[in-house]
């Protein structure tokens, strides 16, 4: 009969401190770099919502995900040395949508790295583009970008 030591296996557990985002946000929410934030399913902002994402934050998009900020306000501003990252955790069908509905309320995204995103779009009811992206990086995407004014951005689409 074998002893317990002869059949011992090493088990490594990795505990991740994650914040799951799903459903409809109807208030102000501030996301920081202290944990990973996972968007699962549909995560949408209501007209009353304000989502603030601080520099250094990582947003993971899980499976067939839709992040819809079409009615709320977003403040997504990283820095040159501390980007905000949006990336796909697993699966396909990641959609990120920004739309303020009125061109007078522009949302600006600065120093954001979008990785493995399928569809990134913005549109407004008056037909004017209303999301401004500055110093953003796009990598490994099968991406359709529409309705976005992109300044000083780099697109590196090498996704297989």
């Amino acid at each position: 009969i074998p002893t317990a030591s002869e059949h011992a296996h090493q088990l490594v557990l990795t505990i991740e401190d994650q914040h799951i985002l799903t459903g409809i946000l109807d208030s102000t929410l501030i996301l920081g770099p202290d944990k990973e934030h996972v968007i699962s399913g549909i995560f949408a902002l209501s007209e009353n919502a304000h989502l603030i994402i601080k520099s250094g934050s990582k947003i993971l998009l899980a499976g067939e995900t839709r992040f819809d900020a079409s009615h709320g306000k977003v403040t997504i501003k990283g820095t040159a040395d501390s980007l905000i990252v949006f990336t796909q955790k697993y699966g396909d069908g990641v959609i990120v949508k920004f739309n303020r509905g009125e061109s007078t309320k522009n949302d600006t995204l600065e120093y954001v790295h979008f990785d493995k995103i399928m569809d990134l779009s913005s549109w407004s009811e008056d037909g004017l583009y209303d999301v401004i992206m500055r110093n953003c990086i796009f990598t490994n995407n099968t991406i359709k970008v529409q309705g976005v004014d992109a300044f000083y951005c780099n697109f590196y689409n090498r996704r297989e």
Side-chain angles (χ1 to χ4, degrees):
I1 296 177
T3 65
S5 63
E6 293 175 326
H7 291 288
H9 297 281
Q10 181 179 7
L11 176 63
V12 177
L13 295 176
T14 303
I15 310 283
E16 296 177 349
D17 191 10
Q18 296 183 332
H19 180 213
I20 307 297
L21 303 165
T22 190
I24 298 173
L25 177 66
D26 195 38
S27 60
T28 298
L29 177 63
I30 300 171
L31 304 180
D34 56 326
K35 61 178 74 177
E36 291 181 334
H37 307 283
V38 179
I39 296 177
S40 179
I42 296 173
F43 177 59
L45 278 58
S46 75
E47 292 178 6
N48 299 324
H50 184 187
L51 178 64
I52 301 166
I53 303 177
K54 293 184 174 184
S55 62
S57 296
K58 187 169 186 177
I59 312 300
L60 301 174
L61 303 149
E64 292 190 25
T65 298
R66 181 180 178 102
F67 170 48
D68 187 347
S70 63
H71 299 288
K73 171 109 177 102
V74 295
T75 303
I76 304 176
K77 295 185 180 181
T79 63
D81 59 350
S82 186
L83 299 176
I84 295 169
V85 176
F86 279 81
T87 189
Q88 182 179 12
K89 185 171 181 167
Y90 60 84
D92 292 317
V94 175
I95 297 172
V96 179
K97 179 180 176 187
F98 301 97
N99 165 18
R100 293 293 300 135
E102 302 172 26
S103 60
T104 57
K105 298 180 180 177
N106 292 348
D107 283 332
T108 301
L109 287 70
E110 295 182 16
Y111 293 101
V112 181
H113 180 186
F114 292 96
D115 184 56
K116 302 175 191 160
I117 305 296
M118 184 182 80
D119 186 352
L120 176 67
S121 63
S122 170
W123 58 273
S124 62
E125 294 170 5
D126 61 10
L128 299 174
Y129 301 150
D130 53 0
V131 170
I132 298 169
M133 294 188 173
R134 289 192 179 97
N135 300 300
C136 294
I137 299 170
F138 300 83
T139 58
N140 304 310
N141 300 297
T142 54
I143 192 167
K144 171 178 70 174
V145 178
Q146 57 186 137
V148 174
D149 291 330
F151 301 99
Y152 308 107
C153 295
N154 294 307
F155 292 82
Y156 303 99
N157 290 318
R158 297 184 194 124
R159 189 171 180 193
E160 296 177 17

